[in-house]
Amino acid sequence: MSVVNYTRTLQKVILNIGPRCYHRWVTTASVALRIRDSKQNFRCRLWCGLLTPVHYQYSTEGNTSKVPSVATWEPVLENQLPPAKQVPADLVDKLERLALVDFPNQEGLVCLKKAIRFADQLHVVDTEGVDPMDSVLENRALYLREDAVAEGDCADRLLQLSKDTVEEYFVAPPGNIPLPGREEC
Amino acid sequence: FIQRLLRIEVSLALKEGRISPTELCRKCLNRIKKTHHLNAYITVSEELALKQAHEAESRLSKGVSKGPLDGIPFAVKDNFCTENIKTTCASNMLKDYTPPYNATVVQKLLDQGAVLMGKTNLDEFAMGSGSTDSAFGPVRNPWSYEAAYREKSGADPDADWVIAGGSSGGSAAAVASLTSFFSLGSDTGGSTRNPGALCGVVALKPTYGLVSRHGLIPLVNSMDVPGIITRSVHDAATVLGVLQGHDVKDSTTVTDHPTPLTGLPDDFDPRNIRVGIPKEYHGPGLSQETLAQWSRVADMFEQAGFQVEQVSLPHTQHSIVCYHVLCHAEVASNMARFDGLEYGHRSDVSSSTEAMYAATRHGGFNDVVRGRILSGNYFLLKQNYEHYFVKAQQVRRLINEDFRRVFGSGVDVLLTPTTLSDAMRHTDFVQEDNRTRSAQEDIFTQPANMAGLPAVSVPTALSSRGLPIGLQLIGPAFQDRSLLTVAQWIEQKVGFAPIRYHGDAGEGEIRVDVLPSTPTVWEKNYLIPC
């Protein structure tokens, strides 16, 4: 069998085993072959040469890949962050009145503090003189269509979606009554 | 088997009459019933699907096809409004909500004759990175039940099933488990690409402003984009060609968009394309296998003649924190519409409006959503506005500038990992809370959302546990076509084998002869020619 055919069969076998085994096998083989190099005939050298480029395609160790082999992030240390913000009880009440999610218990507070601490990492970035960005389409003019009625007249369908309606009105409980505070609960 | 075919092959088969749309629809519906344990669907629109399939059949018999998607089954994530079909966002708040209109993207697909299979499961209101926080139960990754996972990791699928990724986990699971040929997801911080990578399917996030968001229940208005999940890059390009375009009902869609894609060029000279490898995308926690795949594809590019270079996006590390603040702030604003008055869940408390709102929102939202609303309101308080929200907006501009600088220097596409590793087991995933997991899983995907750039995740190989690993390509704004061309090149070269369908014997499968067998991809490219 010619060297090329033999190599092709060998590759099929090895590539089926898996890249890791292949890498190890080829490394061992090429080392063994190199040791015998002084006695090599042309066929063995050709085989080495043919295998090496294929080896290069599959191994990830010691190659010239542009992919960094170690993580490149710089850890953000606790002392780089601003001091941890306190969340006093009245602030929690205020947040609750704004958010209206009924979450003023201990669990909610813990969650909030973690979120705030995570967000504090923003302050290691220097943003001196940088404009805030509202939208990625900020350089385009907003499309405005003609101020003409295009659709509508679907009051019935929309009212059906609500649980409590009277004629054409959505029914709401009495307003202007503040939420009870934490002491009153 | 018919369902393993790609959409383009099925479309051809439908046109040539080798299979009828009704038959195809029935097979997909049966498949949905068989894969019920995956919990990928919240609502299956069986009657509507069959009706649409009949209509497609009559159209095809007359020879008047509506387009390349006529008669093709698809699924939609449950935060897109669909007329007369329950749209829940996987939340108690909208559990019984039936919208009176179709989202623009859904309407466009229905106008093309595609057949809607159902609404898929997701994380509640698209907040999460595992599809585990749904009011209807978590989504299981179809690969948990494949032979590869069982054999390589010795796991019992029912106890050790892996997550599908989030938040469009149901959509990705639906496509991966062969119940639909493509599906719509939504991508705010990687919500389409993350499950796409973990479920081994192609997941595209188009440029912000290219596809209409009308009808997509919003999470973060400045970052949301409807995502497309398919089994091949060519299908993704076809669907994007149908969906892109200006919509008068969405003022954030652009009017000067590029011409719709009608296909991807097969021949291009790799030597003209510069691929950037951003060094900051080797973040902490990146698994060795994903790193190996990343290196492998980078080397593949280099071997083929692409110009590969390392680039730097210095603010990548802070992108996730910036996303965290902006996301919470916009969520606090967007979730304010759910008060129980006009639609959705309403509590019985009626002592005052405020009390009713609070009780409704407590009952309607889960802890994740409520936590985000609370912290979002904190960041938007007058005393904190400059300190957190405006600061985050400034960092967003820096991130945008990073990308602009890199693409401006002539780089055509960036190659990065999509996720830190292959899919985690559900039991391991829920050890940490949703916020921590999102902060870990979204690190590579959300910078593209911050800058509004198109990005696609392509599956490359199976890990040592038998689960898919995907890589992400990011392109310049509105260059979706070029991005997909490069993605298609990778897809052809890596030869990723999708899920094998364990056929249902005795169902009378229709055999469809596809392409004649060609030498496998690696044989063509890696063996030395004689």
Side-chain angles (χ1 to χ4, degrees):
Chain A
M1 212 197 307
S2 77
V3 175
V4 173
N5 278 341
Y6 184 71
T7 316
R8 189 180 285 228
T9 320
L10 199 63
Q11 281 170 334
K12 270 198 194 152
V13 164
I14 290 167
L15 293 176
N16 277 324
I17 296 172
R20 219 179 279 165
C21 300
Y22 175 50
H23 168 75
R24 264 190 242 123
W25 188 94
V26 169
T27 319
T28 325
S30 52
V31 164
L33 282 167
R34 270 191 214 111
I35 291 169
R36 291 199 331 254
D37 212 39
S38 54
K39 296 179 194 162
Q40 282 306 296
N41 58 16
F42 174 75
R43 190 181 281 190
C44 285
R45 266 208 206 105
L46 181 61
W47 185 25
C48 247
L50 288 171
L51 276 178
T52 315
V54 188
H55 162 207
Y56 169 80
Q57 282 162 25
Y58 270 85
S59 80
T60 58
E61 300 162 26
N63 64 356
T64 55
S65 176
K66 306 287 192 302
V67 171
S69 50
V70 292
T72 52
W73 286 24
E74 288 164 18
V76 175
L77 305 167
E78 190 67 26
N79 57 13
Q80 285 176 282
L81 302 177
K85 288 261 174 70
Q86 294 304 315
V87 188
D90 57 341
L91 184 62
V92 178
D93 276 343
K94 181 173 177 181
L95 277 177
E96 182 46 43
R97 279 199 304 282
L98 288 170
L100 289 173
V101 288
D102 203 7
F103 213 11
N105 54 15
Q106 194 53 31
E107 199 188 313
L109 203 57
V110 162
C111 206
L112 180 64
K113 282 186 178 156
K114 275 194 200 159
I116 297 171
R117 203 63 189 137
F118 186 65
D120 280 334
Q121 289 179 44
L122 270 183
H123 296 96
V124 304
V125 185
D126 177 22
T127 52
E128 189 66 42
V130 178
D131 280 331
M133 182 182 214
D134 291 318
S135 162
V136 294
L137 301 175
E138 58 184 2
N139 293 328
R140 291 160 187 271
L142 186 70
Y143 172 81
L144 294 175
R145 65 182 180 90
E146 283 298 311
D147 187 13
V149 173
E151 56 184 350
D153 238 358
C154 52
D156 292 334
R157 297 191 71 183
L158 295 177
L159 284 167
Q160 273 168 22
L161 297 172
S162 171
K163 292 218 161 62
D164 200 350
T165 55
V166 166
E167 290 181 14
E168 287 171 350
Y169 295 90
F170 295 111
V171 177
N176 252 338
I177 303 174
L179 270 185
R182 277 145 66 91
E183 312 80 44
E184 298 161 30
C185 272
Chain B
F1 184 66
I2 189 85
Q3 281 151 302
R4 272 176 55 206
L5 300 181
L6 302 176
R7 184 218 54 84
I8 183 178
E9 294 153 350
V10 146
S11 184
L12 196 61
L14 285 173
K15 257 202 200 89
E16 293 173 2
R18 285 180 281 161
I19 180 171
S20 77
T22 332
E23 189 77 45
L24 188 60
C25 179
R26 274 216 188 86
K27 285 198 181 296
C28 287
L29 287 170
N30 283 339
R31 181 81 179 140
I32 293 176
K33 288 194 184 87
K34 281 210 160 54
T35 51
H36 186 68
H37 53 274
L38 297 178
N39 203 17
Y41 285 83
I42 294 179
T43 314
V44 180
S45 50
E46 197 163 327
E47 285 165 18
L48 178 69
L50 286 169
K51 175 162 154 285
Q52 288 170 347
H54 279 303
E55 283 166 15
E57 194 163 338
S58 65
R59 274 195 301 272
L60 281 171
S61 63
K62 291 183 201 136
V64 280
S65 160
K66 280 192 179 175
L69 299 178
D70 204 350
I72 307 283
F74 75 106
V76 164
K77 186 174 177 184
D78 209 10
N79 59 357
F80 285 90
C81 287
T82 42
E83 195 172 354
N84 301 327
I85 303 177
K86 235 170 30 157
T87 298
T88 64
C89 291
S91 170
N92 277 328
M93 180 61 85
L94 295 177
K95 202 158 57 155
D96 299 311
Y97 172 65
T98 312
Y101 69 105
N102 272 327
T104 304
V105 289
V106 174
Q107 190 60 54
K108 280 186 173 172
L109 290 172
L110 294 175
D111 287 342
Q112 284 283 313
V115 174
L116 178 59
M117 287 286 118
K119 308 299 289 299
T120 57
N121 206 350
L122 57 150
D123 274 310
E124 183 155 342
F125 280 109
M127 298 189 203
S129 56
S131 295
T132 47
D133 287 305
S134 160
F136 299 94
V139 180
R140 298 187 183 197
N141 193 324
W143 287 87
S144 327
Y145 294 88
E146 279 296 288
Y149 179 61
R150 274 201 311 274
E151 284 155 21
K152 289 194 180 170
S153 61
D156 165 32
D158 285 313
D160 294 321
W161 54 272
V162 294
I163 54 165
S167 57
S168 316
S171 294
V175 173
S177 62
L178 313 175
T179 55
S180 65
F181 284 84
F182 64 94
S183 65
L184 289 182
S186 72
D187 197 312
T188 308
S191 295
T192 310
R193 290 160 286 157
N194 182 308
L198 299 187
C199 291
V201 287
V202 172
L204 169 68
K205 172 197 117 45
T207 311
Y208 181 85
L210 198 57
V211 183
S212 169
R213 286 183 300 114
H214 173 75
L216 167 61
I217 295 173
L219 180 67
V220 179
N221 295 73
S222 63
M223 296 185 216
D224 275 351
V225 187
I228 299 166
I229 300 178
T230 56
R231 268 178 253 154
S232 80
V233 175
H234 189 281
D235 294 350
T238 314
V239 178
L240 180 63
V242 167
L243 294 184
Q244 72 173 65
H246 175 65
D247 182 17
V248 291
K249 295 182 192 167
D250 179 1
S251 60
T252 55
T253 46
V254 298
T255 43
D256 57 342
H257 57 88
T259 43
L261 305 174
T262 45
L264 295 172
D266 270 327
D267 52 344
F268 61 93
D269 190 358
R271 288 167 301 179
N272 292 337
I273 302 196
R274 284 173 63 183
V275 177
I277 310 279
K279 64 180 202 279
E280 289 81 5
Y281 276 71
H282 188 151
L286 185 66
S287 77
Q288 282 305 308
E289 287 175 349
T290 313
L291 180 64
Q293 284 304 313
W294 191 15
S295 308
R296 170 188 169 214
V297 174
D299 292 345
M300 230 186 256
F301 274 131
E302 215 157 5
Q303 301 291 311
F306 287 82
Q307 299 172 50
V308 179
E309 56 199 71
Q310 202 180 71
V311 295
S312 177
L313 297 166
H315 296 97
T316 305
Q317 174 175 347
H318 307 290
S319 178
I320 183 70
V321 186
C322 179
Y323 171 73
H324 165 88
V325 172
L326 291 178
C327 177
H328 288 218
E330 292 214 34
V331 156
S333 167
N334 277 324
M335 297 293 130
R337 71 192 68 196
F338 298 108
D339 52 18
L341 276 183
E342 297 101 338
Y343 45 76
H345 168 72
R346 179 177 177 145
S347 84
D348 296 325
V349 168
S350 55
S351 48
S352 73
T353 328
E354 310 255 318
M356 190 277 274
Y357 288 169
T360 301
R361 287 152 72 85
H362 179 89
F365 295 141
N366 68 3
D367 288 347
V368 173
V369 182
R370 286 185 297 149
R372 287 202 192 192
I373 296 174
L374 202 67
S375 44
N377 275 298
Y378 179 85
F379 296 135
L380 290 173
L381 286 176
K382 196 154 125 191
Q383 70 226 44
N384 294 330
Y385 193 82
E386 283 275 338
H387 195 61
Y388 288 105
F389 186 67
V390 175
K391 179 85 183 178
Q393 288 189 312
Q394 289 172 317
V395 176
R396 185 175 183 180
R397 182 176 294 283
L398 289 175
I399 292 164
N400 205 30
E401 287 303 311
D402 278 351
F403 277 112
R404 199 189 299 226
R405 193 178 25 86
V406 165
F407 287 125
S409 72
V411 172
D412 295 300
V413 76
L414 296 172
L415 175 72
T416 77
T418 312
T419 49
L420 284 175
S421 68
D422 55 4
M424 243 191 262
R425 281 186 328 168
H426 179 251
T427 36
D428 296 331
F429 189 79
V430 295
Q431 297 296 321
E432 296 277 356
D433 67 272
N434 181 292
R435 197 193 53 77
T436 317
R437 283 296 179 214
S438 294
Q440 290 166 349
E441 299 293 318
D442 286 343
I443 51 172
F444 302 132
T445 47
Q446 40 75 26
N449 292 82
M450 303 285 283
L453 302 174
V456 62
S457 169
V458 180
T460 51
L462 292 184
S463 68
S464 61
R465 284 165 68 212
L467 298 168
I469 294 179
L471 289 182
Q472 176 180 229
L473 286 170
I474 306 176
F478 300 103
Q479 302 295 320
D480 303 62
R481 186 190 167 108
S482 322
L483 180 72
L484 287 174
T485 311
V486 180
Q488 187 174 59
W489 186 91
I490 295 184
E491 179 189 51
Q492 286 164 350
K493 294 288 181 269
V494 297
F496 179 78
I499 277 189
R500 272 188 289 275
Y501 179 57
H502 299 299
D504 33 357
E507 224 199 33
E509 347 171 320
I510 294 176
R511 285 248 147 264
V512 181
D513 290 322
V514 211
L515 306 164
S517 68
T518 47
T520 61
V521 170
W522 58 261
E523 270 184 75
K524 257 200 298 198
N525 293 295
Y526 291 112
L527 294 191
I528 299 146
C530 259

